[in-house]
Amino acid sequence: MRLEWLRDDDGTLSGFDPRRPPAPGSYYNLTLGLNWHPREHVRVRPEIRWDWQDRDSELDVPAFDDGTSTNQWLFGCDLLWEF
């Protein structure tokens, strides 16, 4: 499990799209993952992650889902083969 926090005073995280204005605030993510060894030299690491934004002003554009949401879910998986 991992919890991260990033303070973005200038709103640069939401500024990747030049059509969207910056949204300063705090950004958080919570990640939960597993390590599974199905074989001696193989490791599978699935994870689920929740990102959310705490905007400084409710008038600021949300950072996720093309400017329509203040949170998002992500799913990922790694496969490691050790040799």
Coordinates of all heavy atoms in Angstrom, one line a residue:
M1 N 0.8 -1.2 0.0 CA 0.0 0.0 0.0 C 0.9 1.2 0.0 O 1.9 1.3 0.6 CB -0.9 0.0 1.2 CG -1.8 1.2 1.2 SD -3.0 1.1 2.6 CE -2.3 2.1 3.8
R2 N 0.5 2.3 -0.8 CA 1.2 3.5 -0.8 C 0.2 4.7 -0.9 O -0.7 4.6 -1.7 CB 2.1 3.5 -2.1 CG 3.0 4.7 -2.2 CD 3.9 4.6 -3.5 NE 3.1 4.6 -4.7 CZ 3.1 3.7 -5.6 NH1 3.9 2.6 -5.4 NH2 2.4 3.7 -6.7
L3 N 0.5 5.7 -0.2 CA -0.3 6.9 -0.2 C 0.7 8.1 -0.5 O 1.7 8.2 0.1 CB -1.0 7.2 1.1 CG -1.7 8.5 1.2 CD1 -2.9 8.5 0.3 CD2 -2.2 8.7 2.7
E4 N 0.3 8.9 -1.6 CA 1.2 10.0 -2.0 C 0.4 11.3 -2.0 O -0.8 11.3 -2.2 CB 1.8 9.7 -3.4 CG 2.7 8.5 -3.4 CD 3.2 8.3 -4.8 OE1 2.5 7.6 -5.6 OE2 4.4 8.7 -5.0
W5 N 1.1 12.4 -1.8 CA 0.5 13.7 -1.8 C 1.4 14.6 -2.6 O 2.6 14.6 -2.4 CB 0.3 14.2 -0.4 CG 0.0 15.7 -0.3 CD1 -1.1 16.3 -0.8 CD2 0.8 16.7 0.2 NE1 -1.0 17.7 -0.5 CE2 0.2 17.9 0.1 CE3 2.1 16.7 0.8 CZ2 0.7 19.1 0.5 CZ3 2.6 17.9 1.2 CH2 2.0 19.1 1.1
L6 N 0.8 15.5 -3.4 CA 1.6 16.5 -4.2 C 0.9 17.8 -4.1 O -0.3 17.9 -4.4 CB 1.8 16.1 -5.6 CG 2.4 17.1 -6.5 CD1 3.9 17.3 -6.2 CD2 2.2 16.8 -8.0
R7 N 1.5 18.8 -3.7 CA 0.9 20.2 -3.7 C 1.3 20.9 -5.0 O 2.5 21.0 -5.3 CB 1.5 20.9 -2.4 CG 1.0 22.4 -2.4 CD -0.5 22.5 -2.1 NE -0.9 23.8 -2.4 CZ -2.1 24.2 -2.8 NH1 -3.1 23.3 -2.8 NH2 -2.4 25.4 -3.0
D8 N 0.4 21.3 -5.7 CA 0.6 22.0 -7.0 C 0.1 23.4 -6.9 O -1.1 23.7 -7.2 CB -0.1 21.2 -8.1 CG 0.2 21.8 -9.5 OD1 1.0 22.7 -9.6 OD2 -0.4 21.3 -10.5
D9 N 0.9 24.3 -6.5 CA 0.5 25.7 -6.3 C 0.1 26.4 -7.6 O -0.7 27.3 -7.7 CB 1.6 26.5 -5.6 CG 1.8 26.2 -4.2 OD1 0.8 25.8 -3.6 OD2 2.9 26.2 -3.7
D10 N 0.8 26.0 -8.7 CA 0.6 26.7 -10.0 C -0.4 26.0 -10.9 O -0.7 26.5 -12.0 CB 1.9 26.8 -10.8 CG 2.9 27.7 -10.0 OD1 2.5 28.6 -9.3 OD2 4.1 27.3 -10.0
G11 N -0.9 24.9 -10.6 CA -1.8 24.1 -11.4 C -1.2 23.5 -12.6 O -1.9 23.3 -13.6
T12 N 0.1 23.2 -12.6 CA 0.7 22.6 -13.7 C 0.3 21.2 -14.1 O 0.3 20.8 -15.2 CB 2.3 22.6 -13.6 OG1 2.6 21.9 -12.4 CG2 2.8 24.0 -13.5
L13 N -0.2 20.4 -13.1 CA -0.7 19.1 -13.4 C -1.9 19.1 -14.3 O -2.1 18.2 -15.1 CB -1.0 18.3 -12.1 CG 0.2 17.8 -11.3 CD1 -0.3 17.1 -10.1 CD2 1.0 16.9 -12.1
S14 N -2.7 20.1 -14.1 CA -3.9 20.1 -15.0 C -3.7 20.9 -16.2 O -4.6 21.1 -17.1 CB -5.1 20.7 -14.2 OG -4.7 22.0 -13.8
G15 N -2.5 21.4 -16.5 CA -2.2 22.3 -17.6 C -1.6 21.6 -18.8 O -1.0 22.2 -19.7
F16 N -1.7 20.2 -18.9 CA -1.2 19.5 -20.1 C -1.9 19.9 -21.3 O -1.4 19.9 -22.4 CB -1.2 18.0 -19.8 CG -0.3 17.6 -18.7 CD1 -0.8 16.8 -17.7 CD2 1.0 17.9 -18.7 CE1 0.1 16.3 -16.7 CE2 1.9 17.5 -17.7 CZ 1.4 16.7 -16.7
D17 N -3.2 20.2 -21.2 CA -4.0 20.5 -22.4 C -4.1 22.1 -22.4 O -4.6 22.7 -21.5 CB -5.4 20.0 -22.2 CG -6.3 20.2 -23.4 OD1 -5.9 21.0 -24.3 OD2 -7.4 19.6 -23.5
P18 N -3.6 22.7 -23.5 CA -3.5 24.2 -23.5 C -4.9 24.8 -23.5 O -5.0 26.0 -23.2 CB -2.7 24.5 -24.8 CG -2.8 23.2 -25.6 CD -3.0 22.1 -24.6
R19 N -5.9 24.0 -23.8 CA -7.3 24.6 -23.8 C -7.9 24.6 -22.4 O -8.9 25.3 -22.2 CB -8.2 23.8 -24.8 CG -7.8 23.8 -26.2 CD -8.5 22.7 -27.0 NE -8.0 21.4 -26.5 CZ -8.6 20.3 -26.8 NH1 -9.7 20.3 -27.6 NH2 -8.2 19.1 -26.3
R20 N -7.3 23.9 -21.5 CA -7.8 23.9 -20.1 C -7.0 24.8 -19.2 O -5.8 24.7 -19.2 CB -7.8 22.4 -19.6 CG -8.6 22.2 -18.4 CD -8.6 20.8 -17.9 NE -8.5 19.8 -18.9 CZ -8.0 18.6 -18.7 NH1 -7.5 18.3 -17.6 NH2 -7.9 17.7 -19.7
P21 N -7.7 25.6 -18.4 CA -7.0 26.5 -17.5 C -6.4 25.7 -16.3 O -6.9 24.6 -16.0 CB -8.0 27.4 -17.0 CG -9.3 26.7 -17.2 CD -9.1 25.8 -18.4
P22 N -5.3 26.2 -15.7 CA -4.7 25.4 -14.6 C -5.6 25.4 -13.4 O -6.4 26.3 -13.2 CB -3.4 26.2 -14.3 CG -3.6 27.6 -15.0 CD -4.6 27.4 -16.1
A23 N -5.5 24.3 -12.6 CA -6.3 24.2 -11.4 C -5.4 23.9 -10.2 O -5.0 22.7 -9.9 CB -7.3 23.1 -11.6
P24 N -4.9 24.9 -9.5 CA -4.0 24.7 -8.3 C -4.8 23.9 -7.2 O -6.0 24.0 -7.1 CB -3.6 26.1 -7.9 CG -4.6 27.0 -8.5 CD -5.2 26.3 -9.7
G25 N -4.0 23.1 -6.5 CA -4.6 22.4 -5.4 C -3.6 21.3 -4.9 O -2.5 21.2 -5.3
S26 N -4.2 20.4 -4.2 CA -3.5 19.2 -3.7 C -3.9 18.0 -4.5 O -5.1 17.8 -4.7 CB -3.7 19.0 -2.2 OG -3.1 20.0 -1.5
Y27 N -3.0 17.1 -4.8 CA -3.3 15.9 -5.6 C -2.8 14.7 -4.7 O -1.7 14.7 -4.1 CB -2.6 15.9 -6.9 CG -3.1 16.9 -7.9 CD1 -2.7 18.2 -7.8 CD2 -4.0 16.5 -8.8 CE1 -3.2 19.2 -8.6 CE2 -4.5 17.5 -9.7 CZ -4.1 18.8 -9.6 OH -4.7 19.7 -10.4
Y28 N -3.6 13.7 -4.6 CA -3.4 12.5 -3.8 C -3.5 11.3 -4.7 O -4.3 11.3 -5.6 CB -4.3 12.4 -2.6 CG -4.4 13.6 -1.8 CD1 -5.3 14.7 -2.0 CD2 -3.6 13.8 -0.7 CE1 -5.3 15.8 -1.2 CE2 -3.6 14.9 0.2 CZ -4.5 15.9 -0.1 OH -4.6 17.0 0.7
N29 N -2.8 10.2 -4.2 CA -3.1 8.9 -4.8 C -2.9 7.8 -3.7 O -2.0 7.9 -2.9 CB -2.4 8.6 -6.1 CG -0.9 8.2 -5.9 OD1 -0.7 7.2 -5.2 ND2 0.0 9.0 -6.4
L30 N -3.8 6.8 -3.8 CA -3.7 5.6 -2.9 C -3.5 4.4 -3.8 O -4.4 4.2 -4.7 CB -4.9 5.5 -2.1 CG -5.0 4.3 -1.2 CD1 -3.9 4.3 -0.1 CD2 -6.4 4.2 -0.5
T31 N -2.5 3.7 -3.7 CA -2.2 2.5 -4.5 C -2.2 1.2 -3.6 O -1.5 1.2 -2.6 CB -0.9 2.6 -5.2 OG1 -0.9 3.9 -6.0 CG2 -0.6 1.5 -6.2
L32 N -2.9 0.2 -4.0 CA -2.8 -1.1 -3.4 C -2.3 -2.1 -4.4 O -2.8 -2.2 -5.5 CB -4.2 -1.5 -2.9 CG -4.9 -0.5 -1.9 CD1 -6.3 -0.9 -1.7 CD2 -4.1 -0.5 -0.6
G33 N -1.4 -2.9 -4.0 CA -0.8 -3.9 -4.9 C -0.5 -5.2 -4.2 O -0.3 -5.3 -3.0
L34 N -0.3 -6.2 -5.0 CA 0.1 -7.6 -4.5 C 1.3 -8.0 -5.2 O 1.6 -7.6 -6.4 CB -1.0 -8.6 -4.8 CG -2.4 -8.3 -4.1 CD1 -3.4 -9.3 -4.6 CD2 -2.2 -8.4 -2.6
N35 N 2.1 -8.9 -4.6 CA 3.2 -9.6 -5.2 C 2.8 -11.1 -5.2 O 2.7 -11.7 -4.1 CB 4.5 -9.4 -4.5 CG 5.2 -8.1 -4.9 OD1 5.4 -7.9 -6.0 ND2 5.5 -7.3 -3.9
W36 N 2.7 -11.7 -6.4 CA 2.4 -13.1 -6.5 C 3.5 -13.9 -7.3 O 3.9 -13.4 -8.3 CB 1.0 -13.3 -7.2 CG 0.6 -14.7 -7.4 CD1 0.6 -15.7 -6.6 CD2 0.1 -15.2 -8.7 NE1 0.1 -16.9 -7.2 CE2 -0.2 -16.5 -8.5 CE3 -0.2 -14.6 -9.9 CZ2 -0.8 -17.3 -9.5 CZ3 -0.8 -15.4 -10.9 CH2 -1.0 -16.7 -10.7
H37 N 4.0 -14.9 -6.7 CA 5.0 -15.8 -7.3 C 4.4 -17.1 -7.8 O 4.5 -18.1 -7.1 CB 6.2 -16.0 -6.3 CG 6.9 -14.8 -5.9 ND1 8.0 -14.3 -6.5 CD2 6.7 -14.0 -4.9 CE1 8.4 -13.2 -5.9 NE2 7.6 -13.0 -4.9
P38 N 3.9 -17.1 -9.0 CA 3.3 -18.4 -9.5 C 4.4 -19.4 -9.8 O 4.1 -20.6 -9.8 CB 2.5 -18.0 -10.8 CG 3.2 -16.8 -11.2 CD 3.7 -16.1 -10.0
R39 N 5.6 -19.0 -10.1 CA 6.8 -19.9 -10.4 C 8.0 -19.3 -9.7 O 8.0 -18.1 -9.3 CB 7.0 -20.0 -11.9 CG 5.9 -20.6 -12.7 CD 6.0 -22.1 -12.7 NE 5.1 -22.6 -13.6 CZ 4.0 -23.3 -13.3 NH1 3.7 -23.4 -12.0 NH2 3.2 -23.8 -14.2
E40 N 9.1 -20.1 -9.7 CA 10.3 -19.6 -8.9 C 10.8 -18.3 -9.5 O 11.2 -17.4 -8.7 CB 11.3 -20.7 -9.0 CG 12.6 -20.4 -8.2 CD 13.6 -21.5 -8.3 OE1 13.3 -22.5 -8.8 OE2 14.7 -21.2 -7.8
H41 N 10.9 -18.1 -10.8 CA 11.5 -16.9 -11.3 C 10.5 -16.0 -12.0 O 10.8 -15.1 -12.8 CB 12.5 -17.3 -12.4 CG 13.7 -18.1 -11.8 ND1 14.6 -17.6 -11.0 CD2 13.9 -19.4 -11.9 CE1 15.5 -18.5 -10.7 NE2 15.1 -19.6 -11.1
V42 N 9.2 -16.1 -11.6 CA 8.2 -15.3 -12.2 C 7.4 -14.6 -11.1 O 7.1 -15.2 -10.1 CB 7.2 -16.1 -13.0 CG1 6.0 -15.2 -13.6 CG2 7.9 -16.8 -14.2
R43 N 7.2 -13.3 -11.2 CA 6.5 -12.5 -10.3 C 5.4 -11.7 -11.0 O 5.7 -11.0 -12.0 CB 7.4 -11.6 -9.5 CG 6.7 -10.8 -8.4 CD 7.6 -9.9 -7.6 NE 9.0 -10.3 -7.6 CZ 10.0 -9.5 -7.2 NH1 9.7 -8.4 -6.7 NH2 11.2 -9.9 -7.3
V44 N 4.2 -11.7 -10.5 CA 3.1 -10.9 -11.1 C 2.7 -9.9 -10.0 O 2.5 -10.3 -8.8 CB 1.9 -11.8 -11.4 CG1 0.7 -11.0 -12.0 CG2 2.3 -12.9 -12.4
R45 N 2.5 -8.6 -10.4 CA 2.2 -7.6 -9.5 C 1.0 -6.7 -10.0 O 1.2 -5.7 -10.6 CB 3.4 -6.7 -9.3 CG 4.6 -7.4 -8.7 CD 5.8 -6.5 -8.4 NE 6.0 -5.5 -9.5 CZ 7.0 -4.5 -9.4 NH1 7.7 -4.4 -8.3 NH2 7.1 -3.7 -10.4
P46 N -0.2 -7.2 -9.7 CA -1.4 -6.4 -10.0 C -1.5 -5.2 -9.0 O -1.1 -5.3 -7.9 CB -2.5 -7.3 -9.9 CG -2.1 -8.4 -8.9 CD -0.6 -8.5 -9.1
E47 N -2.1 -4.1 -9.5 CA -2.3 -3.0 -8.6 C -3.6 -2.2 -9.0 O -4.0 -2.3 -10.2 CB -1.1 -2.0 -8.5 CG -0.9 -1.2 -9.8 CD 0.3 -0.3 -9.6 OE1 1.2 -0.5 -8.8 OE2 0.3 0.8 -10.3
I48 N -4.2 -1.5 -8.0 CA -5.3 -0.6 -8.3 C -4.9 0.7 -7.6 O -4.3 0.7 -6.5 CB -6.6 -1.2 -7.7 CG1 -7.8 -0.3 -8.0 CG2 -6.5 -1.5 -6.2 CD1 -9.1 -0.9 -7.7
R49 N -5.2 1.8 -8.3 CA -4.8 3.1 -7.8 C -6.0 4.1 -7.9 O -6.7 4.1 -8.9 CB -3.7 3.6 -8.7 CG -3.3 5.0 -8.4 CD -2.0 5.4 -9.2 NE -1.9 6.8 -9.3 CZ -0.7 7.4 -9.6 NH1 0.4 6.7 -9.8 NH2 -0.7 8.7 -9.7
W50 N -6.2 4.9 -6.9 CA -7.2 5.9 -6.9 C -6.5 7.3 -6.8 O -5.8 7.5 -5.8 CB -8.2 5.7 -5.7 CG -9.2 6.7 -5.6 CD1 -9.9 7.3 -6.6 CD2 -9.7 7.3 -4.4 NE1 -10.8 8.2 -6.1 CE2 -10.7 8.2 -4.7 CE3 -9.4 7.1 -3.1 CZ2 -11.4 9.0 -3.8 CZ3 -10.1 7.9 -2.1 CH2 -11.1 8.8 -2.5
D51 N -6.7 8.1 -7.7 CA -6.2 9.5 -7.7 C -7.3 10.5 -7.4 O -8.4 10.3 -8.0 CB -5.6 9.9 -9.1 CG -4.4 9.1 -9.5 OD1 -3.5 8.9 -8.6 OD2 -4.3 8.6 -10.6
W52 N -7.1 11.5 -6.6 CA -8.1 12.5 -6.4 C -7.4 13.9 -6.2 O -6.3 14.0 -5.9 CB -9.1 12.2 -5.3 CG -8.5 12.2 -3.9 CD1 -8.6 13.2 -3.0 CD2 -7.8 11.2 -3.2 NE1 -8.0 12.9 -1.8 CE2 -7.5 11.7 -1.9 CE3 -7.4 9.9 -3.6 CZ2 -6.8 10.9 -1.0 CZ3 -6.7 9.2 -2.6 CH2 -6.4 9.7 -1.4
Q53 N -8.2 14.9 -6.5 CA -7.8 16.3 -6.5 C -8.6 17.1 -5.5 O -9.8 17.0 -5.4 CB -8.0 16.9 -7.9 CG -7.8 18.3 -8.0 CD -8.3 18.9 -9.3 OE1 -9.2 18.3 -9.9 NE2 -7.7 20.0 -9.8
D54 N -7.9 17.9 -4.7 CA -8.5 18.8 -3.8 C -8.2 20.2 -4.3 O -7.1 20.8 -4.0 CB -8.0 18.6 -2.3 CG -8.7 19.5 -1.3 OD1 -9.8 20.0 -1.6 OD2 -8.1 19.6 -0.2
R55 N -9.2 20.8 -5.0 CA -8.9 22.1 -5.7 C -9.0 23.2 -4.7 O -9.7 23.2 -3.7 CB -10.0 22.3 -6.8 CG -10.0 21.3 -7.9 CD -11.1 21.5 -8.8 NE -12.4 21.1 -8.2 CZ -13.5 21.3 -8.7 NH1 -13.7 21.9 -9.8 NH2 -14.6 20.9 -8.1
D56 N -8.2 24.3 -5.0 CA -8.2 25.4 -4.1 C -9.5 26.2 -4.2 O -9.9 26.8 -3.3 CB -7.0 26.4 -4.5 CG -5.7 25.8 -4.0 OD1 -5.7 24.9 -3.3 OD2 -4.7 26.4 -4.5
S57 N -10.1 26.1 -5.4 CA -11.4 26.8 -5.6 C -12.4 25.9 -6.4 O -11.9 25.2 -7.3 CB -11.2 28.1 -6.4 OG -12.4 28.6 -6.9
E58 N -13.6 25.9 -6.0 CA -14.6 25.1 -6.7 C -14.8 25.6 -8.2 O -15.3 24.9 -9.0 CB -15.9 25.1 -6.0 CG -15.9 24.3 -4.7 CD -15.6 22.9 -4.9 OE1 -16.1 22.2 -5.8 OE2 -14.8 22.3 -4.1
L59 N -14.3 26.8 -8.5 CA -14.4 27.3 -9.8 C -13.4 26.8 -10.7 O -13.5 26.9 -12.0 CB -14.4 28.9 -9.8 CG -15.5 29.6 -9.0 CD1 -15.2 31.1 -8.9 CD2 -16.8 29.2 -9.5
D60 N -12.3 26.2 -10.2 CA -11.2 25.6 -11.0 C -11.7 24.4 -11.7 O -12.5 23.6 -11.2 CB -10.0 25.3 -10.1 CG -9.3 26.5 -9.6 OD1 -9.4 27.6 -10.3 OD2 -8.7 26.4 -8.5
V61 N -11.2 24.1 -12.9 CA -11.6 23.0 -13.7 C -11.0 21.7 -13.0 O -9.9 21.7 -12.6 CB -11.1 23.1 -15.1 CG1 -11.3 21.9 -15.9 CG2 -11.6 24.4 -15.8
P62 N -11.8 20.6 -12.9 CA -11.3 19.4 -12.4 C -10.1 18.8 -13.3 O -10.1 19.1 -14.5 CB -12.5 18.4 -12.5 CG -13.7 19.3 -12.4 CD -13.3 20.6 -13.1
A63 N -9.2 18.1 -12.7 CA -8.0 17.7 -13.4 C -8.2 16.4 -14.2 O -7.4 16.1 -15.1 CB -6.9 17.5 -12.5
F64 N -9.2 15.6 -13.9 CA -9.3 14.2 -14.6 C -10.5 14.1 -15.5 O -11.4 14.9 -15.4 CB -9.4 13.2 -13.5 CG -8.3 13.2 -12.5 CD1 -8.5 13.6 -11.2 CD2 -7.0 12.9 -12.9 CE1 -7.5 13.6 -10.3 CE2 -6.0 12.9 -12.0 CZ -6.2 13.3 -10.7
D65 N -10.5 13.1 -16.3 CA -11.6 12.8 -17.2 C -11.9 14.0 -18.1 O -13.1 14.4 -18.2 CB -12.8 12.3 -16.5 CG -13.8 11.5 -17.4 OD1 -13.3 11.1 -18.5 OD2 -14.9 11.2 -16.9
D66 N -10.9 14.5 -18.7 CA -11.1 15.6 -19.7 C -11.7 16.8 -19.0 O -12.6 17.5 -19.6 CB -11.8 15.2 -20.9 CG -11.6 16.1 -22.1 OD1 -10.5 16.8 -22.1 OD2 -12.4 16.1 -23.0
G67 N -11.4 17.1 -17.8 CA -11.9 18.3 -17.1 C -13.3 18.1 -16.5 O -13.9 19.1 -16.2
T68 N -13.8 16.9 -16.3 CA -15.1 16.7 -15.7 C -15.1 16.0 -14.4 O -16.2 15.9 -13.8 CB -15.9 15.8 -16.7 OG1 -15.3 14.5 -16.9 CG2 -16.1 16.5 -18.1
S69 N -14.0 15.5 -13.9 CA -14.0 14.8 -12.6 C -12.8 15.2 -11.8 O -11.7 15.5 -12.3 CB -14.0 13.3 -12.9 OG -14.0 12.6 -11.7
T70 N -13.0 15.1 -10.4 CA -11.8 15.4 -9.5 C -11.2 14.1 -9.1 O -10.3 14.1 -8.2 CB -12.3 16.1 -8.3 OG1 -13.4 15.4 -7.7 CG2 -12.8 17.5 -8.7
N71 N -11.6 12.9 -9.6 CA -10.9 11.7 -9.3 C -10.9 10.7 -10.4 O -11.6 10.9 -11.4 CB -11.5 11.0 -8.0 CG -12.9 10.6 -8.2 OD1 -13.2 9.6 -8.9 ND2 -13.9 11.3 -7.7
Q72 N -10.1 9.6 -10.3 CA -10.0 8.6 -11.3 C -9.5 7.3 -10.7 O -8.8 7.3 -9.7 CB -9.1 9.0 -12.5 CG -7.6 9.1 -12.2 CD -6.8 9.5 -13.4 OE1 -7.3 9.7 -14.5 NE2 -5.5 9.6 -13.2
W73 N -9.8 6.2 -11.3 CA -9.3 4.9 -10.9 C -8.4 4.4 -12.1 O -8.7 4.5 -13.2 CB -10.5 3.9 -10.8 CG -11.3 4.2 -9.5 CD1 -12.4 4.9 -9.4 CD2 -11.0 3.7 -8.2 NE1 -12.9 4.9 -8.2 CE2 -12.0 4.2 -7.4 CE3 -10.0 2.9 -7.7 CZ2 -12.1 3.9 -6.0 CZ3 -10.0 2.6 -6.3 CH2 -11.1 3.1 -5.5
L74 N -7.3 3.7 -11.7 CA -6.4 3.1 -12.6 C -6.1 1.7 -12.2 O -6.0 1.4 -11.0 CB -5.1 3.9 -12.7 CG -5.2 5.4 -13.1 CD1 -3.9 6.1 -12.8 CD2 -5.5 5.5 -14.5
F75 N -6.0 0.8 -13.2 CA -5.6 -0.6 -12.9 C -4.4 -0.9 -13.7 O -4.3 -0.5 -14.8 CB -6.8 -1.5 -13.3 CG -8.1 -1.2 -12.6 CD1 -9.0 -0.4 -13.2 CD2 -8.3 -1.7 -11.4 CE1 -10.2 -0.1 -12.6 CE2 -9.5 -1.4 -10.7 CZ -10.4 -0.6 -11.3
G76 N -3.5 -1.6 -13.1 CA -2.2 -2.0 -13.8 C -1.7 -3.3 -13.3 O -2.2 -3.9 -12.3
C77 N -0.7 -3.9 -14.1 CA -0.2 -5.1 -13.7 C 1.3 -5.2 -14.3 O 1.5 -4.8 -15.5 CB -1.0 -6.3 -14.3 SG -0.5 -7.9 -13.7
D78 N 2.2 -5.7 -13.5 CA 3.6 -6.0 -14.0 C 3.8 -7.5 -14.0 O 3.3 -8.2 -13.2 CB 4.6 -5.4 -13.0 CG 4.6 -3.9 -13.0 OD1 4.7 -3.3 -14.1 OD2 4.6 -3.4 -11.9
L79 N 4.6 -7.9 -15.0 CA 5.0 -9.3 -15.0 C 6.6 -9.3 -15.0 O 7.2 -8.7 -15.9 CB 4.5 -10.1 -16.2 CG 5.0 -11.5 -16.4 CD1 4.6 -12.4 -15.3 CD2 4.6 -12.0 -17.8
L80 N 7.2 -9.8 -14.0 CA 8.7 -9.8 -13.9 C 9.2 -11.3 -14.1 O 8.7 -12.2 -13.4 CB 9.1 -9.3 -12.6 CG 9.0 -7.8 -12.4 CD1 7.6 -7.4 -11.9 CD2 10.0 -7.4 -11.4
W81 N 10.1 -11.4 -15.0 CA 10.8 -12.7 -15.2 C 12.2 -12.5 -14.8 O 13.0 -11.7 -15.5 CB 10.6 -13.1 -16.7 CG 11.3 -14.4 -17.0 CD1 11.5 -15.5 -16.3 CD2 12.0 -14.6 -18.3 NE1 12.2 -16.4 -16.9 CE2 12.5 -15.9 -18.2 CE3 12.2 -13.9 -19.4 CZ2 13.3 -16.5 -19.2 CZ3 13.0 -14.4 -20.4 CH2 13.5 -15.7 -20.3
E82 N 12.7 -13.2 -13.8 CA 14.0 -13.1 -13.3 C 14.9 -14.2 -13.9 O 14.5 -15.3 -13.9 CB 14.0 -13.2 -11.8 CG 13.2 -12.1 -11.1 CD 12.9 -12.4 -9.7 OE1 13.3 -13.5 -9.2 OE2 12.4 -11.5 -9.0
F83 N 16.0 -13.8 -14.5 CA 16.9 -14.8 -15.1 C 18.4 -14.4 -14.8 O 18.7 -13.4 -14.3 CB 16.7 -14.9 -16.6 CG 16.9 -13.6 -17.3 CD1 18.1 -13.3 -17.9 CD2 15.9 -12.7 -17.5 CE1 18.3 -12.1 -18.6 CE2 16.0 -11.5 -18.2 CZ 17.3 -11.2 -18.7

